[in-house]
């Protein structure tokens, strides 16, 4: 039976190509492994034996665990709306969708996967220096050529003014400031709501956690994350707290507004109160 440890020894020695890495990964993940557990049943005076299927990156147990963890991040995110894309006038947001690519001219795909974690941490340190507190939720993905890129949601305490570009995409003026800290191409979009951003992030995540349904890029993502020991997705420790704080602040703001309208005798006061207040 193949193992990751034996593969890594061969990988360092033989300098595998992307396709060879994928082939070795498919051989590894296709072999189910079980953990044998025993428990002494004192009532029936016998030893009970259980077989539990182990999680392997890409199999059904692994997929279920990752989905469960990501679901916890998404809880209540639908309550966090920053602006209505169809409204006119000033729009602001506290959440950005950022994609960080990797220039193939810089190094080999192996060096890129080895370095990208450190380089992303350096990028986040720069962003915090420029804009203060920011939390992050990110996933890795592989291009067809084997080079990595990162999709992430950055959640800030301060707000950014939003404008629509020639292609109808929502952007911020501070994109060039963010780009200074990354060595390759960077794309920055303003998010109107956190639920939409997390749904988009989930789409990329699902492509890289399900071996049975993975396309070519999904297989490369699984195989290369397996080889270079990358987590399917990562959430900074402050991300969940930032979500909770933002939701509470927005609800409190709306509650004050609705009560003010009721005091002024607004004819739809009951509808507004039901819509905005938390019981």
């Amino acid at each position: 039976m193949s193992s990751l440890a034996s593969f890594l020894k061969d990988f360092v020695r033989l300098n595998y190509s992307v396709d060879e890495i994928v082939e070795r990964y498919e051989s590894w993940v296709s072999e189910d492994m079980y953990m044998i557990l025993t428990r002494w049943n004192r009532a029936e005076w016998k030893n009970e034996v259980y077989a539990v299927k182990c999680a392997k990156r890409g199999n059904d147990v692994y997929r279920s665990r990752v989905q469960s963890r990501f679901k916890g991040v998404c809880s209540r995110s639908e309550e966090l709306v920053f602006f209505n894309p169809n409204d006119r006038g000033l729009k602001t947001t506290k959440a950005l969708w950022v994609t960080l690519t990797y220039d193939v001219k810089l190094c080999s795909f192996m060096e890129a996967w080895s370095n990208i974690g450190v380089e992303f941490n350096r990028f986040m340190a720069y962003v915090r220096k420029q804009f203060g507190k920011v939390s992050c939720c990110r996933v890795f993905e592989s291009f067809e050529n084997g080079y990595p890129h990162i999709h992430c949601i950055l959640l800030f305490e301060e707000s950014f003014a939003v404008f629509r570009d020639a292609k109808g995409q929502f952007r911020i003026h501070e994109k060039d400031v963010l780009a200074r800290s990354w060595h390759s191409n960077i794309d920055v979009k303003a998010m109107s709501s956190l639920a939409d951003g997390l749904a988009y992030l989930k789409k990329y995540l699902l492509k890289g956690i399900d071996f049975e349904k993975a396309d070519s890029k999904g297989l490369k993502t699984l195989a290369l994350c397996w080889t270079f020991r990358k987590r399917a997705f990562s959430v900074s420790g402050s991300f969940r707290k930032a979500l909770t704080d933002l939701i509470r602040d927005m609800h409190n703001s709306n509650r004050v507004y609705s009560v003010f309208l009721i005091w002024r005798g607004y004819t739809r006061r009951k509808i507004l109160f039901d819509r905005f207040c938390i019981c």
Side-chain angles (χ1 to χ4, degrees), residues 133-194:
K133 291 184 178 180
V134 54
S135 51
C136 173
C137 183
R138 68 108 189 99
V139 300
F140 287 115
E141 188 180 20
S142 172
F143 282 117
E144 287 289 354
N145 60 10
Y147 278 79
H149 58 290
I150 298 174
H151 302 290
C152 60
I153 295 172
L154 301 185
L155 191 57
F156 296 80
E157 287 193 344
E158 69 173 73
S159 296
F160 297 91
V162 176
F163 69 94
R164 194 192 292 265
D165 66 12
K167 296 182 179 180
Q169 300 285 344
F170 291 104
R171 306 286 185 178
I172 63 168
H173 298 284
E174 293 81 358
K175 188 254 187 177
D176 290 340
V177 178
L178 292 169
R180 289 176 197 151
S181 62
W182 191 250
H183 50 64
S184 304
N185 185 57
I186 176 174
D187 185 51
V188 180
K189 297 178 182 177
M191 291 170 49
S192 60
S193 72
L194 204 61

Side-chain angles (χ1 to χ4, degrees), residues 2 6 11 22 36 46 50 60 67 86 91 109 115 141 152 187-189 201 209 228-229 236 241 247 254 258 262-263:
S2 60
S6 63
F11 172 71
V22 171
I36 305 300
K46 67 177 183 179
Y50 302 89
D60 54 343
Q67 288 177 329
N86 298 318
K91 299 179 180 65
F109 79 91
N115 298 335
E141 188 180 20
C152 60
D187 185 51
V188 180
K189 297 178 182 177
L201 198 69
I209 64 173
F228 293 96
R229 316 306 296 143
S236 65
K241 183 179 184 301
I247 291 170
N254 287 331
S258 62
I262 293 170
W263 178 76

